[in-house]
């Protein structure tokens, strides 16, 4: 009889053990948003061993309090699942030590060519030792759309900064650069240089002489020159600081969305050293080394690092007029021929082959496609691949960006099981530019068409693509809800969504996108205790103030990995980061700076330069 009772007793313990388990920590005293439709709000949440033990009513959760349970009072703040980065580039976490901040307000101060030149000169003077050691002056974040002249700076503009040292300015989109004559000479670009495949060397009007503006693959030649000076330790430090910056904005899972084997190797070293407090997903370029991707793709994290699949890039930047459209741009600013509609960065054969390879090998593929023709090609590739491998639909392929889409394309994406990871934050940063120049006042209302997606009973994810835009989760939330441009125009009222839907697009839906919905994305017993705590309840404030909410704490597996300081209401508490460890690590690589650095420019510059290095290695 006893041998029958013992297994039954063991089974009872297994099912009832959670009821008796004591919590390590309990959070209560503020709104809790679970992202679980069956119980969207809770009064408390308990954690044990890095997992959610209970979530629900206060009495229910407090039943897990023990003598050693840490009780955490939210004091009116709001707790919700940690944000899951749907698309970004975290590999480097700061570059202010070696670049000038050329961002427009509110993230910088550059408003015209003159202020850009002054910023470059001031930075070079303030960092004279670093400039001398590297032999180059670097700036990041200029945006021709935000300059009063509404044009790119030319070699002549940058020769006014220096005629002896190479000067390199990286466009905020990361798809273009402007360089001076000294840099053109270093690159050996002159009137006889042909445009590289998938790129353009812009020319002086009426001649073949380069004007200093480089598009797409033409600009990738700059990256090895810059990144080759950093060294392995410098690159490791950038990776650590990048992950830390994501944590500052509530991201408990971050992403590097276009790596190569060398970059992944550096990140593995950082992970092995315990350098990542949040989880980091990596998607290497499918056109670089497919055997490497196939050998390393994994559903499990190792030291908080996981290679999730492959990345493919079909076209370029919509605001930079390099996205591949199915019709001419509306009023492109620059020297463009009549009927200009952008161009692909790769061949149709490369796209078809890459998508088929992913289907054949059971690898998830994320594809950057901004313009309509880029999406047409991607749809054709997935249709062909799924015709041969029907199960490829279950790999959850992802469309990255999809700024310019037609309704019929979303019908096709639904049929193919493609998840749209959209970029509503464009409505703030470049909404006015799209309405006035890229696609016009009618089509511009439908950029990142979240409303069309929801009308088809599809999910979408909302991303920042940092450093193309700053990885400010509250700016992502604000733009997804309000779609308000810099000037205050509403860019597509029909595509505005409610706050809960926007939060799902930053939590449970990206967790699903990456096959992690069983572990992350909502507050449910058994899931990881990944939380973000906000200064106020985003569902209870005026939607026009969402961008002003602050991340006060980020919690990974029950442990705090970022906590806003006591001066939470001061601007400096949010915008200042101590990069002394980074600068110490870079001391042997020629980079010097001092004091507290503004993390807007730090992150923007460093992350994009790493993306450039990665892109430069692609064939």
């Amino acid at each position: 009889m006893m041998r029958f009772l013992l297994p039954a007793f063991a089974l009872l313990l297994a099912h009832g053990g959670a009821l008796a388990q004591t919590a390590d920590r309990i959070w209560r005293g503020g709104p809790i948003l679970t992202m679980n439709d069956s119980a969207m709000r809770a009064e408390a949440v308990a954690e044990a061993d890095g997992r959610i033990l209970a979530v629900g009513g206060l009495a229910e959760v407090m039943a897990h309090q023990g003598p050693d349970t840490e009780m955490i009072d939210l004091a009116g703040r709001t707790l919700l699942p940690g944000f899951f980065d749907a698309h970004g580039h975290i590999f480097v976490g700061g570059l202010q030590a070696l670049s000038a901040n050329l961002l427009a307000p509110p993230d910088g101060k550059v408003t015209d060519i003159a202020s850009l030149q002054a910023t470059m000169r001031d930075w070079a003077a303030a960092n004279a030792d670093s400039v001398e050691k590297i032999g180059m002056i670097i700036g990041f974040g200029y945006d021709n759309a935000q300059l009063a002249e509404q044009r790119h700076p030319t070699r002549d503009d940058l020769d006014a900064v220096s005629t002896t040292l190479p000067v390199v300015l990286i466009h905020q989109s990361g798809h273009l650069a402007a360089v001076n004559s000294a840099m053109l000479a270093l690159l050996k670009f002159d009137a006889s240089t042909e445009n590289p495949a998938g790129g353009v060397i812009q020319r002086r009007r009426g001649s073949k002489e380069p004007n200093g503006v480089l598009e797409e693959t033409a600009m990738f030649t700059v990256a090895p020159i810059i990144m080759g000076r950093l060294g392995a330790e410098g690159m490791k430090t950038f990776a650590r600081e990048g992950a830390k910056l994501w944590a500052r904005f509530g991201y408990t899972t971050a992403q590097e969305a276009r790596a190569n084997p060398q970059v992944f190797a550096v990140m593995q070293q950082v992970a092995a050293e315990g350098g990542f407090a949040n989880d980091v997903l990596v998607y290497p370029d499918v056109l670089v080394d497919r055997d490497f991707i196939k050998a390393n793709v994994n559903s499990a994290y190792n030291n908080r690092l996981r290679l999730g699949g492959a990345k493919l890039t079909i076209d370029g930047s919509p605001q930079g007029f390099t996205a591949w459209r199915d019709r001419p741009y509306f009023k492109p600013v620059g020297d463009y021929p009549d009927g200009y509609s952008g161009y692909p960065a790769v061949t149709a054969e490369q796209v078809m082959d890459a998508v088929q390879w992913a289907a054949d090998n059971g690898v998830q593929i994320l594809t950057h496609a901004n313009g309509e023709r880029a999406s047409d090609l991607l749809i054709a590739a997935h249709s062909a691949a799924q015709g041969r491998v029907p199960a490829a639909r279950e790999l959850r392929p992802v469309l990255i960006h999809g700024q310019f889409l037609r309704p019929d394309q979303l019908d096709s994406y639904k049929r193919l099981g493609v998840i749209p990871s959209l970029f509503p934050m464009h409505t703030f940063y470049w909404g006015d530019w799209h309405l006035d120049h890229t696609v016009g006042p009618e089509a511009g209302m439908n950029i990142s068409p979240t409303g069309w997606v929801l009308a088809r009973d599809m999910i979408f994810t909302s991303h920042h693509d940092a450093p193309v835009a700053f990885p400010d989760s509250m700016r992502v939330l604000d733009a997804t809800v309000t779609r308000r441009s810099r000037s205050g125009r509403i860019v597509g009222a029909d595509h505005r969504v409610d706050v809960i839907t926007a939060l799902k697009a930053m939590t449970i839906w990206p967790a699903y996108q990456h096959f992690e919905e069983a572990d992350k994305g909502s507050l449910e017993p058994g899931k990881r205790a990944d939380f973000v705590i906000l200064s106020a309840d985003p569902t209870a404030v005026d939607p026009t103030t969402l961008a002003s909410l602050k991340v006060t704490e980020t919690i990974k597996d029950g442990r705090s990995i970022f906590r806003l300081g006591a001066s939470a209401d001061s601007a400096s508490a949010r915008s200042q980061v101590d990069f002394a460890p980074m600068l110490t690590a870079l001391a042997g690589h020629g980079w010097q700076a001092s004091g507290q650095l503004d993390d807007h420019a730090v992150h923007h510059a460093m992350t994009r330069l790493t993306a450039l290095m990665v892109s430069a290695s692609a064939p």
Side-chain angles (χ1 to χ4, degrees), residues 13 25 51 63 95 129 150 206 212 215 264 391 423 498 564:
L13 285 178
R25 297 165 193 85
R51 297 275 178 176
L95 192 58
D129 291 344
Q150 293 204 336
E215 300 179 10
F264 188 68
F423 203 173
D498 62 88
L564 196 62

Side-chain angles (χ1 to χ4, degrees), residues 211-278:
N211 71 359
V213 180
L214 309 176
E215 300 179 10
E216 302 297 338
T217 57
M219 73 167 294
F220 297 159
T221 55
V222 174
I225 297 173
I226 299 174
M227 301 301 292
R229 319 279 179 104
L230 295 177
E233 287 304 314
M235 293 171 70
K236 285 165 61 177
T237 304
F238 299 159
R240 286 190 292 267
E241 295 302 325
K244 288 179 183 178
L245 184 56
W246 260 240
R248 288 177 59 83
F249 291 94
Y251 288 96
T252 50
T253 301
Q255 185 178 134
E256 172 45 58
R258 194 177 180 185
N260 63 18
Q262 294 73 34
V263 167
F264 188 68
V266 171
M267 299 183 81
Q268 283 180 307
Q269 293 177 44
V270 173
E273 295 166 0
F276 294 134
N278 37 12

Side-chain angles (χ1 to χ4, degrees), residues 416-435:
L416 295 164
V418 174
I419 299 170
S421 184
L422 301 180
F423 203 173
M425 198 153 66
H426 247 258
T427 60
F428 172 74
Y429 281 106
W430 294 285
D432 297 312
W433 187 250
H434 290 316
L435 295 174

Side-chain angles (χ1 to χ4, degrees), residues 86-87 365-367 369 375 378 396-403 405 409-424 448-454 456-463 504-506 509-510 512-514:
H87 179 74
I365 189 165
L366 284 56
T367 305
S375 269
L378 180 59
R396 301 181 189 175
V398 179
L399 164 68
I400 299 296
H401 303 324
Q403 291 283 48
L405 287 167
Q409 291 177 323
L410 282 170
D411 293 335
S412 296
Y413 282 135
K414 180 178 181 178
R415 169 177 56 84
L416 295 164
V418 174
I419 299 170
S421 184
L422 301 180
F423 203 173
S448 290
T450 52
W452 291 351
V453 173
L454 295 174
R456 287 161 173 78
D457 294 321
M458 300 168 69
I459 66 168
F460 70 91
T461 63
S462 188
H463 62 251
K504 286 181 179 180
M506 300 166 66
W509 290 346
Y512 177 86
Q513 174 182 304
H514 296 93

Side-chain angles (χ1 to χ4, degrees), residues 548-583:
S548 66
L549 297 181
K550 296 179 177 64
V551 171
T552 64
E553 190 169 6
T554 305
I555 296 154
K556 174 65 182 163
D557 293 340
R559 302 282 185 174
S560 180
I561 62 173
F562 166 75
R563 184 179 288 116
L564 196 62
S567 55
D569 292 331
S570 71
S572 62
R574 180 167 182 167
S575 64
Q576 300 295 321
V577 179
D578 184 2
F579 281 96
M582 179 183 75
L583 302 179

